[in-house]
Amino acid sequence: MLLVIVGQQKLVRSLSIEGATFMKKLINSPENVVREELEGMELAHGDRLKVSYEPFYIARKDAPVKGKVALVSGGGSGHEPMHGGYVGKGMLDAACPGHIFTSPTPDQMFEAGKAVHGGAGVLQIVKNYTGDVMNFDLAADTLREEKIQVESVLTDDDVAVENSLYTAGRRGVGLTVLMEKLLGAAAEERRSLAALKKLGDEIRASGRSMGMALTPCTVPHAGKPSFELGESEMEVGIGIHGEPGRRRVPLVPADEIVAMLMETVLKDLPFKSGESVILFVNGMGGTPLIELYIVYRKAAQIAAQHGLKIVRNLVGNYITSLEMAGCSITLLRANDELVQLWDAPVNTPALRWSI
Amino acid sequence: MLLVIVGQQKLVRSLSIEGATFMKKLINSPENVVREELEGMELAHGDRLKVSYEPFYIARKDAPVKGKVALVSGGGSGHEPMHGGYVGKGMLDAACPGHIFTSPTPDQMFEAGKAVHGGAGVLQIVKNYTGDVMNFDLAADTLREEKIQVESVLTDDDVAVENSLYTAGRRGVGLTVLMEKLLGAAAEERRSLAALKKLGDEIRASGRSMGMALTPCTVPHAGKPSFELGESEMEVGIGIHGEPGRRRVPLVPADEIVAMLMETVLKDLPFKSGESVILFVNGMGGTPLIELYIVYRKAAQIAAQHGLKIVRNLVGNYITSLEMAGCSITLLRANDELVQLWDAPVNTPALRWSI
């Protein structure tokens, strides 16, 4: 085989050679990725979680929790630990995984909601993607036919683009993780469905995010990278499915990247001097933790320069795009109530603490 | 520029074009990676950690803890969250980060040990690499000159190779994470230095690991990948610095990879039917969590086929090689005492739980 590449070498983890596609992934077959992951999660966390395979969903082992509003989320797979890793006491009651980067179906959401409903209603946490929104709406209608009260909270925190390949309006990204933690804690307090809906809408209005990518990722079914980036390029404002961002620009040092993201996020709400915030620096899956702390460092410095007080933080790979290298930054205004909900005990595979 | 590549395309995150090296990393400069990471950790976790910059080490905020044996570890950076992410109540008192993939210096280990010594001695947890062993030995001597009792526990759990590029004997890998958790819990119980040394040696004798890589990683100073792998190749038995493994073989499905690793690990001790174990599936930094659960699934199935009872587990990126894609599997025989120590509360940036 002779490859001739003019200009720039591609950064990929897959290549088709003589008709055969090699993907550098620890999988058995693209068809079975989600099922086998669920089997692995059940084997690893069966003490706390139960898994339904027809249709796919992950639920709290002790669900339904009587008298508690049941929190149900879901979305395409490939963003792990979101959402399955956030099922457990203090966070979600159920999560519905779609195929990689593909919305789950209404029957998954319906069956999950029905299974975990504890008599106090179901709150759906939905990232703003057209498929997710439509299917959660259909599931909500079907749940209501079963006399189950349903409300939905949307996340659309990505300031990068107003509309995108997969959305009308802004995309739901990093804020979703914070939303699930905060509403999960509030639900444990036995707040009503209406109160949780109101709180969720307030959180939605108070958080903003933006991300960037150094490399693409490869969806197993596609067998090739979702996009291409030159060796000295990055994509600013990227979505979590590799959908295009705001602009493709030359790679610059981390501090400049963080300044770009922070300035855009800060101006959007806008965040004002004197406010308290939760600062969430997220890795896209293929970014070493050492780099995320370098990002956190600059983000915290910029936040301080703008007079913001960081009252809580989260640093790590929490909402990812498979093996994509890159990061996102989320800021959320946090009053005392949100701080107390953040600190409340949580026991899930991916987030776990006590007071 | 015209690149002609015969045979196989290289899988890299860096490329030298017309003399300039582009590395796809969220850093500012190779020289400042470790310092800036430490600044980020201090900003993010300053409530629990304190950072010394001359020389570099991370310590528990409440250190020295009077009457408790102080646990000190360290090693090259690039394996985050190990070791700095494991500093805190229930785990390490201090961690000394070297430059990327480079042993820390004796003065770091000495200053850290002296700073966190609470009057009951210092236990060093040392991965078996020539530089680490030599420098921790020198630091121990200097601490003893200050009338501080010092013992050391070694990890050399990697069954892949007997000697390697950086070691006499086997390399210390995944078991180190479990060792730090277990000894950290035992130290909180105010066990004596001699008792902790004995327990550490027992854990060392009871655990085995093996890893593999799908891609190399790029050390910032080097600016190019630590090794090269063809598009359809993987390296089995890889070390955590990208040092060569046992063999380079064609990429196969995840289940076959896991079987290779598990068979070698199981036979080595050997683990026997009826035994209880802790199963730790670790990502090398660039592996999506969805793949690690697929690995866990098969590892758990094989363990069950061999009559092993998995009493606890850990799945995630805990001892990494920058952005390398790949995984390692660690098995540790676990009696009731170790299970109780595993379950004991821990509060560090990377591992955190209460009972």
Side-chain angles (χ1 to χ4, degrees), chain B residues 29-67:
Chain B
S29 74
E31 297 70 40
N32 294 332
V33 165
V34 176
R35 172 177 294 273
E36 290 178 356
E37 186 229 358
L38 290 176
E39 290 173 1
M41 285 199 70
E42 187 175 31
L43 284 164
H45 308 299
D47 54 333
R48 283 174 288 170
L49 306 179
K50 51 191 174 188
V51 175
S52 159
Y53 293 93
E54 289 182 15
F56 285 157
Y57 64 83
I58 298 173
R60 271 174 71 156
K61 186 125 184 177
D62 61 348
V65 182
K66 212 176 154 99

Side-chain angles (χ1 to χ4, degrees), chain A residues 173-191:
Chain A
V173 288
L175 185 63
T176 316
V177 179
L178 309 185
M179 179 80 86
E180 293 180 357
K181 170 66 183 83
L182 297 167
L183 290 182
E188 294 294 340
E189 293 179 354
R190 300 295 187 271
R191 297 195 195 180

